[in-house]
Amino acid sequence: MKTVKVVNKEDVIIKFAGDSGDGMQLVGNQFTTNTALRGHDLATFPDFPAEIRAPLGTVAGVSGFQLHFGSSEIDTPGDLCDVLIAMNAAAFKSNIMNVKANGTIIADLSGFDKKNLKLAGYNEDEVLLVNSESTNFTFFQIDITKLTVESLKDLALDIKDKDRAKNMFVLGLLFWLYDRELQSTIHFIEERFNKNEIVMKANSLVLKAGYHFGETTELFTNRYELKKAIQSPGKYRGISGNEAIALGLILAGARAKLPLFYATYPITPASDILHFLAKKTQEYNVLIFQAEDEIAAVCSAIGASFGGSLAVCGTSGPGMALKMEGLGLAVSMELPLVICNVQRAGPSTGMPTKTEQSDLLQALFGRNGEAPIPVIAAHSPSDCFLSAFEAARIALEFMTPVILLSDLYLANGSEPWRYPSFDELPEIKTNLITHAIDNFEPYHRNSELVRNWAIPGNKGTEHRIGGLEKQDGSGNVSYDGNNHHAMVKLRAERIEGIAETIPLQEISLGAESADIAVVGWGSTNGSIRTAVKELLLEKKSVAHIQIKYLYPFPKNLESLLKGFKTIIIPEINNGQLVKIIREKYLIDAIPYNRIQGQPLNVAELKKEILKYC
Amino acid sequence: MKTVKVVNKEDVIIKFAGDSGDGMQLVGNQFTTNTALRGHDLATFPDFPAEIRAPLGTVAGVSGFQLHFGSSEIDTPGDLCDVLIAMNAAAFKSNIMNVKANGTIIADLSGFDKKNLKLAGYNEDEVLLVNSESTNFTFFQIDITKLTVESLKDLALDIKDKDRAKNMFVLGLLFWLYDRELQSTIHFIEERFNKNEIVMKANSLVLKAGYHFGETTELFTNRYELKKAIQSPGKYRGISGNEAIALGLILAGARAKLPLFYATYPITPASDILHFLAKKTQEYNVLIFQAEDEIAAVCSAIGASFGGSLAVCGTSGPGMALKMEGLGLAVSMELPLVICNVQRAGPSTGMPTKTEQSDLLQALFGRNGEAPIPVIAAHSPSDCFLSAFEAARIALEFMTPVILLSDLYLANGSEPWRYPSFDELPEIKTNLITHAIDNFEPYHRNSELVRNWAIPGNKGTEHRIGGLEKQDGSGNVSYDGNNHHAMVKLRAERIEGIAETIPLQEISLGAESADIAVVGWGSTNGSIRTAVKELLLEKKSVAHIQIKYLYPFPKNLESLLKGFKTIIIPEINNGQLVKIIREKYLIDAIPYNRIQGQPLNVAELKKEILKYC
Amino acid sequence: MEESIIIPPLSSKDFESDQEIRWCPGCGDAAILKQVQNLLPSIGVPKEKIVFISGIGCSSRFPYYMNTYGMHTIHGRATAVATGLKLTRPDLNVWIVTGDGDALSIGGNHLIHLLRRDLNVNILLFNNQVYGLTKGQFSPTSEQHQITKSSPFGNTDRPFNPIALSLGAGASFIGRTIDREAKHLQEVLRSGQEHVGASFIEIYQNCHIFNDGAFEIFTNRTTRKSSVLFVEHDKPLIFGENNQLGIKLDGHQPVIVHINEQSSLNDLWIHDEKDKIKANILANFFENEDYPRPFGVLYKNSLQQEKSSIVGQKSIDSSVYNQLIAGKENWSVL
Amino acid sequence: MEESIIIPPLSSKDFESDQEIRWCPGCGDAAILKQVQNLLPSIGVPKEKIVFISGIGCSSRFPYYMNTYGMHTIHGRATAVATGLKLTRPDLNVWIVTGDGDALSIGGNHLIHLLRRDLNVNILLFNNQVYGLTKGQFSPTSEQHQITKSSPFGNTDRPFNPIALSLGAGASFIGRTIDREAKHLQEVLRSGQEHVGASFIEIYQNCHIFNDGAFEIFTNRTTRKSSVLFVEHDKPLIFGENNQLGIKLDGHQPVIVHINEQSSLNDLWIHDEKDKIKANILANFFENEDYPRPFGVLYKNSLQQEKSSIVGQKSIDSSVYNQLIAGKENWSVL
Ligand SMILES: Cc1ncc(C[n+]2csc(CCOP(=O)(O)OP(=O)(O)O)c2C)c(N)n1
Ligand SMILES: Cc1ncc(C[n+]2csc(CCOP(=O)(O)OP(=O)(O)O)c2C)c(N)n1
Ligand code: SF4
Ligand code: SF4
Ligand SMILES: [Mg+2]
Ligand SMILES: [Mg+2]
């Protein structure tokens, strides 16, 4: 019998990569669930091809799923992976540069035949290259496809279907390698294929075969073990950013006692919010409207808002651009509205399947005239939940459109989430009027300058509003210069006033007395946090600040930032938050920009910060 | 015989105000032409009611025309007027607060009867107010309507038509008051009414009656005389901002040897560019396209640009918001395009007939993704000509969309313009390819990073471009992260490079060594210039800088601004240029914002500047 | 929430807001306003349940003058705004007021989609064949060769045929009327209001400032009777100075006939609101000057039932929300 | 500028670009591409005068695969971009490639305006009744009740009838064909190309990933012949397994008849491309499952002459520009 060493690990990064049809997303998700149930912290990120179905076996057709898990806090799916699963040559080719030195590669030999090598763009002699490139790694070449088919020889399935089960072999093997139970996946298989017994059987057979292979083969001499992560007690689930936004919106509606109206036009990477909500319309107070375009979406949301719904739009880049005129109207009418911009790489159509955070300035300044709109950003998949809830709160409490910025990386990434119960969520107050008012004035304001919200059906508050400048109070159209000046100031002041209701800015890592603050917003949180954590271990004088409230800023932000000697602002854009900080506080903040459609690389970021240490 | 004193004046501001039907624009324009021919410098600004035809006699229906003329340089139509012509009580009411202390009011008594007073919103006892309010003024109450009708008693015209000629009476009277020849107007009348002899006769009779009235009445004891202004030798004409843009575009097309394609959707205050160009399509290489909306306008312009035209759009606020997605496409395709945004008061529909300069940040940042577009601003009606020409030059030379900012005040205002001849205008070079190229690459760049412009019809340069990220050079769709980063940087760098071809920033008034620089952009030029001019006379240490090139800035702007102790940035918005200056140069520039739909008031501005002197 | 509603008898005055009317004196818009205000007291809907939504244009000022709920939105988007309101609040009585530019130029897409979705709203398209508010450019309904500020040498485009377009988009109710025919106007509006589904009503409206007399042929005493064809369900198509002309269908071809001379009353085309092919043929009259212009309810075919429940009124237990939050797979950390 | 152009004989290969095709293997788009590439060598237009313009969607990838000039623009705007190009460059041969979402959802307005303006371009609408590129939401041509990612409980909207819509917008050429009928496809494209004016061609295209089999009834051996009606100008309307069925017009009502049994060939409806009323009746088949779906050139009526002059080619003396600059009133300062 072979001897197997059990190696302890702090954290592991696995990249599952194969052809779009190879089921890598499924394997990744299954391994992730298992990992979460095991009590590790984790973060995942899928990596879809740009095409719906790119030609089989090509680099364009590679679908990937990266999982980072460990026994301590995990903030990102990780830069380079420890383990690469490469189901074919193309998967190998497009991921080999992202494997750590001395990392492990598990390759399905069947995917490296001549045809596949050619499809991947290797020419004959480069076949050697694959092997030589791999000398820095522990390279396991296993004929997974063959083993899969063999393990199913007794089943009456055609070869293609047998072939398709190979992802389960990989999963089984990994379960062995990381000493896992198969139960969660077997359960999944039983549910998923409960209408097709033979396929159900095939999948669990292959899963076990993979596990068994690990146990019996002489190839593997190590197994890996990780401790549970220390996590706050509570109930957990895995969640992606888009699902978290959808949930946050439904719950915000519930806590405000308003129906949710979600108006949208499909666009990558925001569409999944629509898909998720669409499934909930029968059970919850949710109405979805797939409009004819983004203009109709935002305008219908304005109509719904006038009628007393929590009205929300979801979109991305080009769609956001189309909503700007409508948003100006919502500003002028002072109606509540939430716009979720799940950012992707621009300009124009750009790279729809790549991440970026380059719509911040557009969110702040994209409208004609002085049209201030609060902007908040989510910084992790699970944070999308509270961010969406908070965006709705601000919109409803302050009668204003609010822009919520997420991005593709948050949208598709996932992580464990300690979820709250319904009762733990705060109620959201609205300014709804439910009785008749003598001489009703639609622009009558409360002490926070917020106007009241009288909706059709309420007798005695009939009124007309519109996009022309209006007299404060009465709302009657006014071309008076002084009134206009006052209204411009007032609209801005009302939004600035939101700062009174948001938390003060905290330092997420490091001390107020540090020399350097690395200041980010949105999805860079994980990368910056990891980099700063490592630098702190190296005793560098750095701190990490992640800003969620981008407009208005928390009240203490200026004094907080001015305490540091150096401010570095890393962004996945060409420098946007840095502009705002420089302008507002006249701080010589230093931009760090990587615009590669990818999360920031931690190692590179660390290097950059070290320059100032 | 009465004795008349001739009083010398440096400058005079006259406001003509009456009901929309009273012909005040015509009188204003006639007096202006006469004034220009007389050799005075001048500036004018009309003031239309928001409604097409507001109810007769109401304040909402008042139409005004302000003329400022003098023997030295005139930079604005002026804050308060010396002379108010008030054809009815409503005109009086809406303008009385803008008359200088001891100013002159000439009122048509017929317009102050009970009915008119009531329509103007005065109640019975306030009738007295009109008179008492007027005690600070020299108040001439003349029954102009009656005198007009009397002077026409021999003509077979119905009373309504006779009535209508009363504006000519006013004009005649003013001609007498300022010692003018009637010839230019008589000529105008003859041309205008050459198909209606009786009306022609009526108008010139009344004109002369007005003049004669001045000569004979005992009312007026003063006449006014002004010296000619000292102006650079050359050929002059009067021009409004919108007409100047139209001309600038036609000439830019001519100098680039390209047809002009002007695609637009009507919107106040940009529509007159369309109206002007529409009249020129038969004589010049101009094609206009009134699209179904602003999105179609910008997209059709992109199509025309791909086809080798000088493609231009004109619009305002809400229309500009709609163009943002299209502009992103033009950025990505690197196609030449000019967008004229004739700004008006926002947000949303705002005040369409009032001026504002609140679309600067939108011009800079209104698109999704990193989509840099050069922005330039015109600063006077006549400057619109060269600004439009320059916008076209930059667009064509650098293969980029360019945003030209004008505003309602420039659009409708007018001033004398020393116009160039065709040959004085520089040729505009383009990157047009006119031959076949082996292995043609659409994104092949010259040393200024500008790609070539191969248009359909040219054999051997067939290619495809689009809004997805592309490989530099080949233009093939690319999702490569490094390429994307490089392309984002490259697009920005190319635009920054335009700074090499624009003039260094000059100080328009005052010295580089002054303490305070008042820095403006766009239509505030006149007000700031006047204020600084007056302060310089008062020996204050101030200078005036007006920035035309807003992105990229002139190369010397930073060093220039850093030479001043104090930088004040007056804007008709809530602080936009000031944000850019603060951010870019970390200068603690001070905003001064008046957002009243009006040009900046010089007196108020001076007061503000004095705070820092 | 549902209470038994007692509707006090309202008069047209109750629908007048306190805002001064700012249309040019004599504008057709005012005549239409009057008829809407006259109609509303009789439709059995309380004032607070009525909403007027407009875009931008002279006509779009309309909501300001109605003492109901209202929104003066942005150019071309009234239909989209109304869509969101009506989807979430089917209990409301929603009216869209729009112009030929607003509805058919910039707003064309939302209009055809609203018709396709057959939302139960009333669309009043004030067609003056010109852009009024921006002072006189041609619109998508301006006639070919029309001289306007933006077409000094004549409009080169063909106009839309709004009836054909709305039919093509799947409208379930299509009517045409004109500002000058007060009674007819009110009756067509009433039919539209009663129809469950999207009611598209084109109203010819004279802009006497920028396009005066565009519809004179339909209002002028001497031309009116031979240019206008008032259609009524189940009645034959008759027109002409002395009602002497009729329209017959020769196969699928319409033919104008002299009644009694060429054809008997019984042979005439009987208007059938529900017949889409006939509606198409009527729509095509637009393209042929020989035919009179049909006015009235040209097509009407209810596809749906009135919905009145307000969405989002399920009462949901917090445990159901807790299930949602927890998802399918979850675990506890102790 | 006019030179006599010698067109070297081109082959379909000459129209293939060097870009790898990225549609899902088996996508109907590829079949259409092939036919376009087969057609172009024979239309007598040099390659460099041809431009393909698309919006965004799977179908809109089309231009990348054509070795002509091309633009892959933004979602819904291909029609608008093409308008600007064709207006300024009437000498070019312009093709628009668009999807059901691109053309009829976000781009609906530009489409109907292009048809109204009757610009001389060819519009190929790849209708797969779904959003392909965004992975399977319903589109404005999706069937009512269709289950998609965004309609898990069934699409509630009615689909557009693209033929009726284009007729209503004033289209001068309307055709329908399908990816699987290579020859028919090519012939309809050819007719569209030959037509002077806007040619609107709806192409049923199978998206076998997100809406497989949407048109199976029109391609499946057993159902095809009784579901498809191929129309040809001047020919009777015949269909059915053994061509045993025909369509007759009973007045203005279409009736399906058994040939010989109920009706002779001579009594059948003879297709007349120019007859708009007939085109409307054909369009209405869409709403009634009893009728076969008509394919072919459904309507065609040239309203204009070919323009080929490029605008903006007047040669203008500098003195004429000087007049323009100087305006009417001017003066000199010495
Ligand atoms: C986005 C946008 N584009 C353009 C305008 C300018 N605009 C206002 S109303 C109008 C057209 C009005 O025509 P129509 O809809 O026919 O209404 P009418 O004034 O004739 O009643 C235009 C172009 C605008 N307000 N917003
Ligand atoms: C402004 C904007 N909104 C949304 C999208 C996302 N999007 C891309 S293609 C598409 C629809 C594609 O459907 P269709 O036009 O039918 O083309 P198909 O993929 O089916 O060929 C959508 C919604 C976009 N690119 N831009
Ligand atoms: S411009 Fe025409 S449409 Fe507008 S208010 Fe005046 S008359 Fe009516
Ligand atoms: S998703 Fe559908 S339409 Fe798109 S390429 Fe694949 S098969 Fe074709
Ligand atoms: Mg109109
Ligand atoms: Mg589609």
Side-chain angles (χ1 to χ4, degrees), chain A residues 249-482:
Chain A
L249 295 173
I250 297 180
L251 270 297
R255 287 323 240 138
K257 299 204 177 64
L258 296 177
L260 171 65
F261 178 70
Y262 185 77
T264 190
Y265 186 69
I267 189 164
T268 305
S271 308
D272 278 340
I273 304 175
L274 167 67
H275 304 157
F276 182 85
L277 289 173
K279 285 185 245 153
K280 303 298 170 189
T281 52
Q282 304 205 324
E283 249 181 302
Y284 297 89
N285 285 323
V286 175
L287 185 70
I288 59 153
F289 174 50
Q290 182 179 309
E292 57 272 24
D293 65 9
E294 286 86 354
I295 298 176
V298 70
C299 287
S300 67
I302 289 171
S305 175
F306 185 71
S309 286
L310 166 56
V312 181
C313 292
T315 189
S316 186
M320 193 68 190
L322 287 172
K323 288 187 194 293
M324 289 298 161
E325 195 204 1
L327 283 178
L329 178 64
V331 167
S332 180
M333 298 223 237
E334 303 186 25
L335 280 173
L337 202 66
V338 175
I339 309 289
C340 310
N341 178 357
V342 186
Q343 301 163 93
R344 64 188 215 188
S348 194
T349 313
M351 306 193 299
T353 54
K354 300 286 169 186
T355 201
E356 201 161 282
Q357 39 177 202
S358 54
D359 298 350
L360 173 60
L361 293 173
Q362 180 201 37
L364 293 166
F365 306 124
R367 294 155 295 278
N368 58 299
E370 297 289 353
I373 293 182
V375 179
I376 72 177
H379 61 247
S380 78
S382 67
D383 181 57
C384 286
F385 177 85
L386 280 183
S387 299
F389 192 91
E390 179 70 346
R393 176 194 69 84
I394 295 174
L396 293 168
E397 230 174 88
F398 286 87
M399 293 289 285
T400 175
V402 174
I403 294 175
L404 168 62
L405 295 176
S406 172
D407 63 23
L408 182 138
Y409 173 58
L410 299 180
N412 296 343
S414 76
E415 63 181 4
W417 173 44
R418 187 165 70 102
Y419 57 86
S421 73
F422 181 79
D423 295 322
E424 283 169 282
L425 293 167
E427 268 186 53
I428 295 177
K429 280 167 300 169
T430 66
N431 249 7
L432 271 179
I433 302 287
T434 53
H435 52 276
I437 293 178
D438 278 354
N439 303 318
F440 175 74
E441 297 209 314
Y443 285 79
H444 176 82
R445 298 174 190 284
N446 68 15
S447 59
E448 268 108 40
L449 305 179
V450 181
R451 76 178 192 86
N452 45 38
W453 193 18
I455 64 172
N458 193 55
K459 196 168 168 163
T461 53
E462 294 83 1
H463 66 276
R464 279 68 53 195
I465 57 177
L468 285 168
E469 188 56 288
K470 68 257 327 151
Q471 215 167 43
D472 199 27
S474 76
N476 290 336
V477 172
S478 166
Y479 282 79
D480 178 66
N482 291 323

Side-chain angles (χ1 to χ4, degrees), chain A residues 289 292, chain C residues 79 82-83 86-87 90 96 110-123 166 169-174 192 195-200 276 299-307, chain D residues 144 156-160:
Chain A
F289 174 50
E292 57 272 24
Chain C
T79 31
T83 296
K86 185 69 186 178
L87 282 174
I96 294 164
H110 311 304
L111 176 68
I112 59 177
H113 280 271
L114 190 157
L115 295 175
R116 174 171 76 86
R117 295 191 187 106
D118 199 28
L119 223 66
N120 186 16
V121 298
N122 303 309
I123 306 161
S166 54
S172 64
F173 180 103
I174 299 171
H195 173 73
V196 179
S199 306
F200 174 78
K276 199 173 213 172
Y299 180 67
K300 174 172 165 179
N301 194 5
S302 262
L303 307 165
Q304 52 175 310
Q305 300 274 301
E306 177 104 54
K307 284 175 239 156
Chain D
Q144 204 165 12
T156 54
D157 297 341
R158 292 178 303 155
F160 270 135

Side-chain angles (χ1 to χ4, degrees), chain A residues 33 36 231 233-237 247 254 259 261 280-285 287 289 292-293 295-296 299-300 303-304 306-307 309 325 333 417 419-422 455-459 461-468 476-477, chain C residues 8 17 19 47-49 51 61 63-64 66-75 77 80-81 83-85 87-89 92 109-110 113 117 311-314 316 318 320-322 324-327 329-334:
Chain A
T33 305
Q231 290 173 307
K235 294 222 148 221
Y236 282 79
R237 59 169 292 187
L247 284 183
F261 178 70
K280 303 298 170 189
T281 52
Q282 304 205 324
E283 249 181 302
Y284 297 89
N285 285 323
L287 185 70
F289 174 50
E292 57 272 24
D293 65 9
I295 298 176
C299 287
S300 67
F306 185 71
S309 286
E325 195 204 1
M333 298 223 237
W417 173 44
Y419 57 86
S421 73
F422 181 79
I455 64 172
N458 193 55
K459 196 168 168 163
T461 53
E462 294 83 1
H463 66 276
R464 279 68 53 195
I465 57 177
L468 285 168
N476 290 336
V477 172
Chain C
S17 80
Q19 296 297 296
K47 209 167 68 163
E48 67 273 14
K49 288 250 178 183
V51 187
R61 288 248 159 186
Y64 290 125
M66 295 297 306
N67 190 14
T68 63
Y69 282 94
M71 268 190 278
H72 179 225
T73 70
I74 44 180
H75 196 34
R77 318 302 174 189
V81 173
T83 296
L85 180 63
L87 282 174
T88 51
R89 294 290 305 273
L92 299 176
N109 204 29
H110 311 304
H113 280 271
R117 295 191 187 106
V311 293
Q313 300 221 313
K314 296 169 204 123
I316 298 166
S318 66
V320 181
Y321 285 112
N322 281 330
L324 179 71
I325 304 175
E329 268 162 358
N330 50 59
W331 63 95
S332 296
V333 171
L334 303 174

